[in-house]
């Protein structure tokens, strides 16, 4: 009886096991679909992250490009104006950097935001840096070479200056050695005697009618031979030269001024000692008492000064 009841129950629900199996399959399919969707979502997020990273890297490189270009130009241009060689080198560097900049700008404006483009941009930046370093090395070499040449020029200038100084010193010594000198200068104021008219020495200004200045032109082995202009100046107490019958003019070699001589004489000098007397003579007006200067010039150069006093 019991078995019959079970048989009847089974016959009443024949599809129940099949329905359970379908439900399990459906759940499994839903889980698989969910897993696939999650996987696709993860991949999409990963790709988006990589894309954002690429864009960020490109943005960093763009800023770096502007900075590197600016620094490169500024670092090189600071050496302009120091020499023609450096300026020529910098002109060449400017052209090369401009070419490199064009390549970099072309990559930046291509619009391709990819890792390959980013890598190419970085390579161009490295080439820019290498180009800058190359020109800095050449600039350094030129600067050091210019410094060496400047040092040599300075040494040569000092040596030349020393040689010029020595030459000038020798020339000055030679000029001094060539200059004729006088010695044993004797100045004698004279008056004429009332009887006989013979000239005799006097110390009185009002009686002085004639003044003789006698001296020896000394021997000089290095002086040039030929005509020498010997000039005598007797300077009155008022500062004016006495102008006698044999007066003349000459040019003072120290200041280039033309001066009045009390007496001039053309001496044919042969290198030996020579005696000479120059005279002032004027009976038209008396001299004034006081101190009188005596100056002897040879070819315009002052070689002797002295003074005497008339009462």
């Amino acid at each position: 009886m019991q078995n019959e009841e079970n048989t009847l129950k089974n016959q009443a629900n024949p599809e129940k096991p099949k329905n359970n199996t379908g439900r399990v399959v459906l759940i499994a399919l839903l889980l698989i679909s969910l897993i696939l969707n999650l996987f696709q979502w993860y991949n999409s997020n990963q790709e988006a992250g990589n894309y954002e990273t690429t864009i960020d890297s490109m943005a960093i490189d763009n800023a770096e490009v502007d900075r590197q270009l600016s620094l490169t130009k500024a670092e090189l241009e600071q050496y302009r104006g120091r020499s023609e060689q450096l300026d020529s080198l910098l002109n060449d560097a400017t052209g090369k950097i401009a070419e490199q900049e064009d390549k970099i700008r072309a990559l930046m404006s291509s619009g391709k935001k990819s890792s390959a483009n980013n890598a190419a941009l970085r390579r161009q930046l490295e080439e820019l840096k290498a180009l800058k370093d190359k020109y800095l090395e050449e600039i350094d070499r030129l600067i050091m070479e210019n410094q060496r040449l400047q040092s040599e020029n300075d040494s040569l200038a000092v040596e030349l200056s020393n040689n010029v100084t020595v030459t000038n010193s020798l020339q000055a010594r030679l000029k001094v050695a060539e200059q004729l000198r006088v010695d044993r200068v004797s100045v004698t104021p004279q008056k004429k005697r009332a009887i006989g008219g013979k000239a005799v020495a006097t110390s009185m200004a009002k009686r002085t009618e004639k003044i003789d200045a006698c001296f020896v032109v000394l021997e000089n082995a290095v002086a040039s031979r030929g005509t020498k202009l010997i000039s005598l100046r007797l300077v009155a107490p008022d500062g004016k030269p006495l102008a006698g019958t044999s007066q003349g003019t000459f040019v003072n070699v120290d200041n280039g001024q033309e001066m009045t001589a009390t007496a001039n004489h053309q001496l044919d000098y042969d290198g030996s000692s020579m005696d000479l007397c120059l005279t002032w003579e004027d009976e038209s007006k008396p001299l004034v008492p006081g101190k009188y200067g005596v100056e002897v010039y040879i070819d315009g150069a002052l070689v002797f000064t002295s003074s005497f006093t008339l009462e």
Side-chain angles (χ1 to χ4, degrees), residues 94-109:
T94 299
K96 296 294 184 183
I97 290 172
E99 293 177 4
Q100 190 67 20
E101 182 177 1
D102 289 341
K103 295 178 183 178
I104 293 172
R105 297 297 183 190
L107 284 173
M108 293 172 63
S109 62

Side-chain angles (χ1 to χ4, degrees), residues 202-242:
T202 182
S203 62
M204 300 180 68
K206 290 184 178 182
R207 293 181 177 272
T208 300
E209 299 171 336
K210 178 183 179 184
I211 300 175
D212 286 337
C214 297
F215 46 85
V216 177
V217 178
L218 297 176
E219 177 183 1
N220 191 320
V222 297
S224 61
R225 307 301 190 260
T227 302
K228 306 293 182 182
L229 178 63
I230 313 298
S231 303
L232 171 68
R233 272 172 59 92
L234 299 176
V235 183
D238 62 1
K240 296 180 180 180
L242 299 182

Side-chain angles (χ1 to χ4, degrees), residues 211-215 230-232 234 246 263-265 276-280 296:
I211 300 175
D212 286 337
C214 297
F215 46 85
I230 313 298
S231 303
L232 171 68
L234 299 176
S246 61
N264 275 338
H265 178 78
L276 184 64
C277 286
L278 297 179
T279 301
W280 169 84
V296 178

Side-chain angles (χ1 to χ4, degrees), residues 1-64:
M1 186 69 179
Q2 183 68 33
N3 290 335
E4 291 178 357
E5 289 178 359
N6 290 336
T7 300
L8 291 173
K9 288 180 180 179
N10 289 336
Q11 290 177 351
N13 300 299
E15 298 297 328
K16 193 171 184 179
K18 186 180 293 185
N19 290 340
N20 289 338
T21 301
R23 189 177 296 114
V24 170
V25 171
L26 180 61
I27 291 172
L29 290 174
L30 289 174
L31 288 174
I32 291 172
S33 176
L34 179 61
I35 291 171
L36 289 174
N37 287 334
L38 287 173
F39 181 76
Q40 290 178 350
W41 175 81
Y42 175 79
N43 284 341
S44 297
N45 284 345
Q46 188 68 24
E47 290 177 0
N50 291 338
Y51 182 75
E52 292 296 328
T53 301
T54 300
I55 292 176
D56 290 343
S57 298
M58 287 297 293
I60 293 172
D61 283 340
N62 289 345
E64 182 67 10

Side-chain angles (χ1 to χ4, degrees), residues 69-84:
L69 286 171
S70 178
L71 289 177
T72 297
K73 293 175 182 178
E75 192 168 355
L76 292 175
E77 284 298 318
Q78 66 178 315
Y79 299 102
R80 187 175 293 279
R82 297 192 179 188
S83 70
E84 292 183 2

